[in-house]
């Protein structure tokens, strides 16, 4: 699903990613960890074509990012569900409209759109906010709208940048169940997180750890089991 070979990225003189090579197979659940500034969001942005590939090779969902023309980016995005760290939802549109918008680029009957939008809004516990404008929602509710919008398209690959960052633990656990369900049905999930508790919700997941833009083994404290007492 994702293959990176010696991928590097700099902002001016500063290298945000250095020589990253990795392979993520179809159907894997990946946690992307690393301290603040380690390069997680930069890697995600490269994967969904928001940053140009400057150095190295990358293929994502069958698209070679090196040869990709700007006009092909929407085609890549169609295969992906992206949960942005800063949500990027439309504040003056309702929850329903924000989620449905993701489907408008796919010519789909209105009744199918309606069914899918309602189902995902319900799964994320937002049904009583369907017609509320997103600017009137709490941070955690907005985050759930961002997740719903990514999932409603039934993507091959979900790239989720700290999708539980604004949620209380109970709600985070519920959302992790929703991500796991998608994964069980074959969707590849790449999720950036800082939270050890979140890592423990998917014990079989693979952890990819970044330090100062470089891949390295995850530190022991991330792998430790919870104390049973
Ligand atoms: N648009 C940008 N312009 C300049 N530097 C940037 C830009 N975006 C990111 N950086 C720098 O690249 C490095 C990696 O940032 P990135 O946002 O990828 O980190 P992160 O791992 O996602 O951190 P966090 O956990 O805080 O979200 C940081 O040093 C950051 O300052
Ligand atoms: Mg980030």
């Amino acid at each position: 699903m994702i293959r990176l070979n010696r991928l590097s990225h700099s902002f001016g003189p500063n290298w945000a990613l250095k020589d990253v090579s990795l392979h993520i197979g179809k159907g894997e659940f990946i946690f992307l960890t690393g301290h603040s500034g380690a390069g997680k969001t930069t890697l995600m942005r490269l994967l969904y074509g928001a940053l140009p590939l400057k150095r190295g090779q990358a293929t994502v969902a069958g698209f070679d990012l090196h040869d990709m023309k700007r006009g092909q980016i929407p085609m890549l995005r169609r295969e992906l569900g992206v949960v942005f760290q800063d949500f990027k939802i439309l504040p003056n549109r309702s929850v329903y409209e924000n989620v449905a918008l993701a489907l408008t680029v796919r010519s789909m009957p209105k009744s199918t759109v309606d069914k899918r939008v309602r189902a995902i809004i319900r799964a994320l516990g937002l049904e009583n906010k369907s017609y509320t404008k997103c600017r009137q929602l709490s941070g955690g509710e907005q985050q759930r709208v961002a997740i719903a919008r990514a999932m409603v398209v039934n993507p091959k690959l979900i790239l989720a940048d700290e999708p539980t960052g604004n949620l209380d633990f109970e709600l985070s656990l519920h959302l992790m169940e929703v991500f796991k369900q998608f994964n069980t049905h074959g969707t590849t999930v790449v999720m950036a997180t800082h939270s050890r508790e979140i890592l423990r919700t998917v014990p079989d997941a693979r952890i990819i750890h970044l330090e100062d833009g470089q891949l390295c083994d995850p530190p022991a404290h991330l792998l430790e089991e919870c104390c049973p007492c």
Side-chain angles (χ1 to χ4, degrees), residues 106-204:
R106 294 142 218 259
S107 33
M108 208 179 265
K110 222 175 150 201
S111 59
T112 315
V113 171
D114 189 59
K115 224 164 114 186
R116 277 171 66 167
V117 171
R118 286 185 194 286
I120 198 76
I121 284 178
R122 202 176 324 112
L124 295 178
L126 288 166
E127 59 271 49
N128 58 359
K129 301 277 178 178
S130 291
Y131 302 107
T132 304
K133 295 242 189 307
C134 285
R135 66 179 148 77
Q136 295 165 338
L137 300 177
S138 72
E141 288 164 344
Q142 292 187 26
Q143 190 154 35
R144 279 182 281 159
V145 176
I147 295 170
R149 190 187 48 190
M151 287 178 165
V152 77
V153 301
N154 243 333
K156 282 187 189 160
L157 168 65
I158 293 179
L159 299 172
D161 200 350
E162 311 227 15
T164 58
N166 286 279
L167 306 176
D168 61 53
F169 188 54
E170 205 175 315
L171 196 50
S172 300
L173 289 185
H174 171 69
L175 283 192
M176 289 309 293
E177 287 306 316
V178 183
F179 277 102
K180 282 200 280 188
Q181 265 178 36
F182 270 80
N183 182 242
T184 306
H185 288 99
T187 303
T188 310
V189 179
V190 179
M191 181 182 293
T193 185
H194 284 283
S195 160
R196 277 209 297 178
E197 285 70 26
I198 292 297
L199 295 184
R200 291 202 181 90
T201 62
V202 194
D204 299 337

Side-chain angles (χ1 to χ4, degrees), residues 97-106 148-150 152-153:
E97 287 170 322
N98 264 279
V99 179
L101 262 177
L103 292 173
T104 53
V105 287
R106 294 142 218 259
R149 190 187 48 190
V152 77
V153 301

Side-chain angles (χ1 to χ4, degrees), residues 70-88:
R70 279 194 76 80
Q72 286 177 295
I73 293 177
M75 279 147 71
L76 166 69
R77 299 257 176 99
R78 244 178 246 195
E79 306 295 339
L80 311 181
V82 183
V83 184
F84 301 95
Q85 193 166 15
D86 55 356
F87 313 152
K88 296 200 196 314

Side-chain angles (χ1 to χ4, degrees), residues 11 16 34-43 45 85 161-162 194:
F11 294 104
H35 60 79
S36 180
K40 303 180 296 296
T41 298
T42 304
L43 180 57
R45 294 183 70 203
Q85 193 166 15
D161 200 350
E162 311 227 15
H194 284 283

